[in-house]
Amino acid sequence: MNRKLLLWLLGAGTPVLLLLLWWATSLQSTDTFFPPLKDILQSFQQLWLFAHFQSDVLVSLGNLLLGYAMASAVGVALGFVIALVLVARNVLEPLIHFLRSIPPVALVPIFISLVGFGTEMRVFSIALAALFPTLIATVDGIRSVDSGLKDVARVYRFTTVEKVTQVYLPSAAPQIFSGLQVSLQVAFVVMIASEMLGPSQGIGAMTLLAQQSFMISDMWAGILLLGVIGFAANIVFSLIRRRVLAWYIGSRRLARSS
Amino acid sequence: MKIQPKTLLTSAAGFLVAVAAWQLVATGPMAGGPLPTVTSVAVNLAAVVVTEAFWTSLATTVGIALLGLLTSAVAGIALGILVGSFEPFRYATVAVLEFLKPIPPIVILPLVVLVLGPTGQMSWFLVFLGCLLPIIMQTVDGVHDADPVARDTARSYGLKEPEILLRVVLPSAMPFIGTAIRVAAPGALIITVVAGLLGGGPGLGQSIYQAQAGGDYPTLYALVIVLGVLGMFFQGATSAVERRMLHWHESFREAAHR
Amino acid sequence: MKTIFSTSRTSSAATAAQPGKNAMTEEIAPADTTSAPPRLDVSHLAKTYGMGDKARTVIEDLTFTVDAGEVVCIVGPSGVGKTTLLKCLAGLHPSSSGRAAIDGRTISGPPPEMALVFQDYNRSLMPWLTVRKNLMLPLRHLHLSAAELKERCDDALAAVGLSHAEHQYPWQLSGGMQQRVAIARALAYRPEILIMDEPFASVDAQTRFDLEDLCLKIRRDFNMTILVVTHDIDEAVYLADRVVVLGSKPARVLRIVDVDLPAPRDQITTRSLPEFARQRTDVLSLIKRPA
């Protein structure tokens, strides 16, 4: 029991220790690239709380959410069509396979050329890039719906809507969620990339600008904020997943333990 | 499973319709705009692929991606076995790893560019970092998955701990590591492109940036198409390698029977 | 006892009817099978998969009937195509030739008055729904009032003895309990014809006995026509009014055996009757004999 407590302390303590170490060793730092953590935190507070909060942080997050929401909705809906309609599958699958192989960030220059540097460009870039993981996971998930469940739906004469919402969707949900998780990460990357390639708005743009104008602690503050957002987005996603897929997580845990 | 000629035909038709639609839009409503025609992209593609510069940047891109993947695999497996085999290590790193995992390497791109400059080294480092975490974490999972009975058997035959790691733990962790590398491989390519596009590292990413900045849209599209093909090739090659190396493993035996 | 043995099948069904609720059985069960049309009529049914050289005939020329209120068991060696037969009857697969009909209507899709209990309980219950919600799912499009919905679920759960587990998920239950949930789902649907595909194949022996008795109780309480597919001869003889013995391959009817065992049946007394032993030996020798 004592050993367990010790290990637990080690787990919680290491990150704290690392932060303290960073703070202490950087305190006297004169290295241009690695300023004191104290300065970085100061910049963080000055920049993001709250001078640029509305103008940049909220804009970035808004684009991210909007693009991601579009990608999720279209990805799941299109995934259903492709999985259930044979013709759609044959026509679209090779095309999708090709499009998803393009590094998502490489689509950003194309969107810039098509719709300029505005908000639309960012949202569309995010949406299109984040579409494919969800779409492909949805197709896979629906195709692997158990034939037993499909028979049940037919024997009890479920309507098409019931089949889709009561059988296919929940049954494919675990796979859809893993697709959504990848999509979220892609959306985040493309959000940053679209800001770095575009004009001067958003956290990514601010961070790159700080780097280019050699305001190193501002750049660090940007990196820190992006890191926190990446982490927080993942946490929020995991919480939602745990709620929605409680049945799945529970059954898997039970199956593993037996 | 054999692909039926009819399926192939509809797929080809789907592709042709998409290309035709593109051509129609580019010559009709968006004529003279930023969307190049299919023909101009095709001409450009043909012109680009015969230049030496193209092949150099293609080779650079692939080289950086593979080198980054390889080095992160070596380091990731070593660290993963270390973390997975010793409980204190695992507890000490779990919080840090979980925090860093959802943060993509693009976040620290400004810093890495600042320190290493727009060089191949910079690109490699980002690829290395980006692939490292998933490989470490999968290796840790793989080490935990090692059959305790096999471990005990090995111990009862008098094998020493390092030998057990090499002969029992590592082989049984291989499927996990194989999956991690397969999943990371397209990522390696993506990060290389991102590093070129946003950080000015050498390779196709840089070429895309130049094409966009110079308004040379046909070349931009041609390069993006090349990246798509390259991405498909990367995915195909890594799954083939994984299959070949892990032919003994259950999930592939199952797949073979299907 | 002797007199009961010698009575005909229909009169023994009437004996099964007990006072109260079960008096219904007596009224509805046809007094004479020749006057009423059979509930389920299978005639010259055949099913062939594939075409040309690869054609594989699974079922060849099956003919039998099931009367209203009857329990009929179909037995045959495993792999004989019993599941294929059920899928044809349930309207999940079209038959290749011949026909299956309910009350004279040819079955072309899942019939509304039929419910099916599948062999694999763990592949037929929705793992994301609690037991009660699993029961309610097929009732959604019947547009019942909330009160009736509740009553049907409560009744069905009580009938299978799972009222206490209504808020649990199927995967939290044992195999036997899961199969009882699947049966309860069928009961809540209130079908007139209940078809079960090897329903007790993957549960332990004690649970199996309980589920068999549950099956007989359902027939008594809900006046259902029940068709059970099984590979267990003892089970078939114990449950059935008639046993359809199938031979392989392809499946065809070897013989239809009338089972004249007294009702109510009981796991211990019925199974120890000499008559029971004789009937099961009859069926067994039919199956064992090289076709």
Side-chain angles (χ1 to χ4, degrees), chain A residues 145-159 161-162 165-172 174 244-255, chain C residues 87 90-93 109-118 122-129 137-141 169 171-173 182 185-187 189 194:
Chain A
V145 171
D146 198 306
S147 62
L149 298 185
K150 289 189 214 165
D151 280 348
V152 169
R154 288 186 61 197
V155 163
Y156 290 106
R157 300 156 62 89
F158 286 19
T159 61
V161 174
E162 280 177 332
T165 59
Q166 306 296 318
V167 181
Y168 287 107
L169 194 60
S171 185
V244 176
L245 293 184
W247 64 270
Y248 177 73
I249 295 164
S251 68
R252 287 291 299 267
R253 191 178 299 140
L254 203 70
Chain C
K87 290 205 165 167
L92 294 174
H93 288 344
E113 58 269 78
M114 183 187 283
L116 192 64
V117 174
F118 294 86
N122 53 3
R123 285 179 53 207
S124 85
L125 295 171
M126 313 292 161
W128 55 88
L129 296 178
L137 187 56
L139 309 180
R140 279 168 60 102
H141 58 258
Y169 286 96
W171 40 268
Q172 293 173 313
L173 308 174
R185 177 174 63 188
L187 293 182
Y189 194 66
L194 179 62

Side-chain angles (χ1 to χ4, degrees), chain B residues 39-58:
Chain B
T39 38
S40 69
V41 171
V43 168
N44 237 281
L45 186 61
V48 164
V49 293
V50 292
T51 60
E52 209 187 297
F54 167 77
W55 289 104
T56 315
S57 65
L58 182 72

Side-chain angles (χ1 to χ4, degrees), chain B residues 152-202:
Chain B
D152 289 346
T153 311
R155 200 167 288 130
S156 71
Y157 278 107
L159 263 68
K160 295 274 180 313
E161 201 61 37
E163 258 179 312
I164 293 176
L165 279 184
L166 199 67
R167 291 182 193 283
V168 180
V169 176
L170 191 59
S172 74
M174 266 332 261
F176 287 78
I177 297 168
T179 309
I181 293 177
R182 177 171 55 78
V183 173
L189 185 66
I190 291 170
I191 299 169
T192 314
V193 173
V194 170
L197 188 59
L198 298 175

